[in-house]
Amino acid sequence: LVKDILFDFLREGGSVILTTHLLEVGERLAENIAIMSGGRLIAEGTMTQLRSHSGQAAGSLEDIFLQLIHEEREGEMVR
């Protein structure tokens, strides 16, 4: 029911900012996705763009998130 209301609102030209820790929800509902780590934006784009950026052509948002967070943390250890 809530998803139907949101989709109707979007079809009418509205915008919604959704924050979630449920990555499958974000993957299903979002046109554009931002991934944050430690309060910093580390990636943003459509699922297609995030897949391309991560090199995971068929990866889920969870797969991409885990890869990017791992890379981010490795980079912090090197600094």
Side-chain angles (χ1 to χ4, degrees):
L1 180 63
V2 173
K3 286 187 257 182
D4 293 334
I5 293 168
L6 290 175
F7 282 125
D8 287 344
F9 180 71
L10 292 170
R11 275 192 290 274
E12 294 171 3
S15 297
V16 174
I17 296 175
L18 171 71
T19 62
T20 183
H21 285 90
L22 304 173
L23 298 179
E24 68 271 2
V25 171
E27 184 171 349
R28 276 188 279 130
L29 296 178
E31 281 184 27
N32 291 292
I33 298 167
I35 298 176
M36 299 186 70
S37 175
R40 292 183 304 124
L41 181 65
I42 62 169
E44 66 178 309
T46 64
M47 276 301 298
T48 301
Q49 291 169 327
L50 292 173
R51 284 180 175 125
S52 177
H53 175 74
S54 68
Q56 296 192 40
S60 69
L61 182 55
E62 182 175 5
D63 296 332
I64 294 166
F65 172 82
L66 292 172
Q67 176 184 333
L68 293 174
I69 294 298
H70 177 75
E71 291 172 357
E72 176 74 11
R73 290 187 178 157
E74 278 188 342
E76 289 175 2
M77 292 173 61
V78 172
R79 291 181 199 156

